[in-house]
Amino acid sequence: MFLTTRSTRAKRWKNRFKWAVTLSGAGLLLFSLTYGLDKSDQLSSLVCGLVLLLSGFQLFPVRGPGPGVEAILPDLRKDIDEFWRKERKARGLAGAELMPIRLRTTGTSGCLAVPHTGLPAWPSDRYAKDVAALVTDGTLSRAVIHGPAGVGKTTFAIMLTTGVVRGDTHVPLYLSLASWSPGEERFRDWFDRQVAAAYPSLRALHPRNDTLLERLAIDRIVLVLDGLDEIRGPVRTDALMKIDEAVDPDQSLIVLTRSSAHLPSLTGASVLVLERLDAADAAAYLAVRLNRAPATARTALLGVCSALRTGAVPDVAEMLRTPLYLDLLCRAAERDEDVPTRFLDAVGRQGADAGKELLYSTFVDQALRSRLGAGSRRLHRARRWAACIAFEMSRPPAASRTLAWWRIYERVPATVFGAATALAVAPAYRLCLLMPPGLTRGFAIGTVTSFVLGACRGVSTRPAAPVAAVASAVSVLVVGTWLLDVRQAIVDASEIGAAIGLVFFLKSQLCGRWPACVGAVLLTGSASAFAVYTAKAVLPPGSAPGRTPAGVLLAVVTGIAIATLAARLLTRPGGPLRPSTASLHPRESLGLPLRPVFTATCAASAAGLGGAFVGAATQGLQHGLHVGIVFALVLGPAIGLPTGLIAWLNQPGRLPSASALRTYQHDRALAWLCFAGVTTTATATQIALDGLVQSLIDRLGDSSFTAQPVHGLLFGMTIGIVVAAYNTAWPNYVLCITWFAVRRLLPWRFMRFLGLLHACEILRQEGPLYSFRAVELQNYLAATYAPARGRRIPGRQDDLSERRPGTGAPTCGRTSR
């Protein structure tokens, strides 16, 4: 009791201290702008007040403790049931009849806990109910399930998830391990990122000192981790050991993987094997499919059924014991009665690999043709795009089995972001030429820095630094020559080009610890001032503009410092790029939007106060106060209000669906809301307060510029784009997809095309992530694309379960003729 009281008192005094620092900073700012006009130290008081205000704000905690796990379980169960209901239908599992499974413990021959119904095919509801009973009765509390390729491990995991979530005792969390890189990140970090993306209800937990993995360590949560074998890299053999170390020993955990003799054991877990059926059972299942197939397909498959029963073609019997290939053959025969004959002929003459190639090629062509029609041009283009996706996912340095639309920047060279900087520099530089002194070159540099820190989250920008410097300089040179004169344009290009190039080079330092951040800001300002000095020295005497190195240093340091501080307040520039979670659906955990609005107002006003500081230092005190009143006290709160509301709505919470398309649509809508909301509010506030602001300006006696509504419009548009880059992944996505589409490698409507591949069952969806239906299908499509590009796919030896007799190389990836 004593410790609890002491902790409560300490927290209360800490909160009082935070408010004292914040209120003192705000009071000092107010005094400096009203009654301190005749004092000699009003400029230093202005800067000191800003620092105190922002420092006091930084002491506040980011989030509250959030609800407990039990409180979000109903929403979590609803998330899981809603998503997998749609996904089962998309994968053809809803209402289907599936092949029976044989699940046994290692070292024994008997089936484990799955009752033998005697049926050659299981209805999907019966399948889900029976396998869910393994969890509810405690048989599969902790287990590692092995199985050969295509035997139905993923189907088993999905049916297990379906059956468990329909009950009332347990809640299953299904995740695919294909996107985890054990050599690059811890399992805890990957799990937190992946489970929050797949199941949005878990974002409301707000973990602070612990992780989501630790908070979810309760008896009712069952972790289902599929695809351990799909982890890339030499460290995948240690992946299970890392999972074992991270997951609580009492946590219910089921891991599915392909058979491996070198897989370590899991603490307290049983080792099970998901076996393939024998040829007789496969023939019985095929007979069930024959009875429900069209007459043409029934006739065509009779020969295959006979080959299974008699064993006349051993490769056919061995191959069709795998549910994946048997299902592909049945689907192909329903659309083309000649496929079974060609399949038997290919396997009989060339082996199982030729049969797999035929099935994959036929499946892709038929699936696309059923959606696009018989036009050869459209089919060829769609197949080429699908092959490009498979190739990009298969190539190093970060080969992956999953595709997230907001992470396609991993497949784009960093130099693309450097070259695209010219598109951000041109409007920012054009805007700064309309602004009063104090919000000029430093404002343009700060705006572009903010955009880079927001839109390039997760991107390693250092290799793009030279390209960014050159692109920025060229952009400024073109705009400056058009609006000013070539001499001024050369000086400005050297200043802005050097600054933006170093921002790209030192982005990791700007996002890191404060000492490194401060050093990077000072280094960037010094380099920019030196570049201006060098440019003026090169120009003929008397023709160089009057820009002093000290003034350039002050403007650049102020602009980058404020941009970095705003980025740290409004986002996590050092973290990975993530889509927004904004939603208008009621969420009890949101609370009041006071803190986000206060944060955004401080960040937006900081740009105006920075301009006031530079303007006062270079043009006089009255001019600096003029800039501060217009751009800090008027436009700052006007921009901070919509920005804070957007950040408030963007807190973790439940989305209606975790699908990739819904996540993309929410993110795109929020990006447009950032742009339109900030622009509209800033312009409207400037118009509404025009008379009051003008009366304050008249008292100062400064007539160096006149604030107009167009300034609010341009200022809001610029900051609106920056806010969109802070809160959403859409600006980064647009840049990346443009790079692919211009080169004709992917369609402009990329999300629509992914939806098409998902509807064709070429891609499967797990939460907001896409993956190919099978590893072999991905490798097959990637290999059909690689020869056209002159590059080789770094294949994995265990990706292909069969090889040609007498050869050492897999042949499943070769294009069928």
Side-chain angles (χ1 to χ4, degrees), residues 33-167:
L33 293 174
T34 53
Y35 300 103
L37 299 180
D38 57 344
K39 304 294 181 181
S40 60
D41 61 341
Q42 62 268 38
L43 185 60
S44 61
S45 299
L46 185 71
V47 178
C48 181
L50 174 64
V51 172
L52 281 176
L53 183 66
L54 296 178
S55 299
F57 168 77
Q58 283 290 82
L59 295 174
F60 282 94
V62 178
R63 292 170 181 163
V69 178
E70 294 290 342
I72 58 95
L73 285 184
D75 284 341
L76 178 59
R77 187 186 298 275
K78 186 177 181 180
D79 272 348
I80 298 171
D81 184 59
E82 177 184 1
F83 173 76
W84 286 110
R85 186 189 307 115
K86 297 178 181 178
E87 190 62 16
R88 287 194 307 273
K89 183 178 179 180
R91 299 192 185 199
L93 298 177
E97 293 186 326
L98 307 174
M99 291 185 68
I101 62 171
R102 287 184 176 177
L103 188 65
R104 67 174 179 83
T105 58
T106 55
T108 63
S109 58
C111 295
L112 172 67
V114 180
H116 182 66
T117 61
L119 297 176
W122 275 6
S124 58
D125 291 341
R126 176 67 179 272
Y127 191 125
K129 180 180 179 181
D130 288 345
V131 297
L134 301 177
V135 171
T136 56
D137 64 11
T139 303
L140 289 185
S141 177
R142 287 177 71 87
V144 178
I145 301 178
H146 300 258
V151 76
K153 296 183 298 298
T154 299
T155 300
F156 175 84
I158 294 174
M159 289 293 103
L160 177 67
T161 301
T162 301
V164 172
V165 79
R166 287 176 179 175

Side-chain angles (χ1 to χ4, degrees), residues 366-449:
Q366 289 182 345
L368 292 175
R369 189 179 295 112
S370 66
R371 299 283 176 172
L372 300 176
S376 59
R377 183 177 180 181
R378 297 178 65 190
L379 283 176
H380 174 73
R381 189 168 53 210
R383 183 173 180 128
R384 178 166 54 85
W385 288 337
C388 178
I389 294 173
F391 175 80
E392 292 294 336
M393 292 173 62
S394 301
R395 71 181 178 90
S400 176
R401 278 276 294 129
T402 57
L403 170 65
W405 65 265
W406 64 88
R407 297 185 66 182
I408 62 172
Y409 65 83
E410 296 176 349
R411 304 299 171 183
V412 176
T415 52
V416 174
F417 296 93
T421 308
L423 302 177
V425 170
Y429 180 66
R430 177 67 181 89
L431 178 61
C432 83
L433 297 181
L434 298 177
M435 295 291 100
L439 281 175
T440 52
R441 280 76 178 171
F443 175 78
I445 294 173
T447 302
V448 177
T449 300

Side-chain angles (χ1 to χ4, degrees), residues 675-716:
F675 174 77
V678 173
T679 302
T680 303
T681 309
T683 306
T685 305
Q686 179 67 28
I687 295 174
L689 300 179
D690 184 64
L692 177 61
V693 172
Q694 191 59 45
S695 63
L696 293 175
I697 301 305
D698 292 339
R699 294 179 58 186
L700 292 176
D702 180 72
S703 59
S704 57
F705 74 97
T706 301
Q708 300 176 359
V710 67
H711 291 158
L713 177 64
L714 295 175
F715 194 65

Side-chain angles (χ1 to χ4, degrees), residues 744-764:
R744 302 179 66 182
L745 300 179
L746 291 176
W748 287 99
R749 296 184 175 182
F750 181 59
M751 295 302 299
R752 183 178 179 180
F753 181 68
L754 292 179
L756 170 67
L757 296 183
H758 181 233
C760 293
E761 297 187 53
I762 297 174
L763 290 182
R764 287 178 170 174

Side-chain angles (χ1 to χ4, degrees), residues 584-604:
L584 294 177
H585 293 267
R587 286 174 283 173
E588 297 179 357
S589 61
L590 281 182
L592 296 176
L594 297 180
R595 185 184 182 282
V597 170
F598 179 72
T599 305
T601 300
C602 291

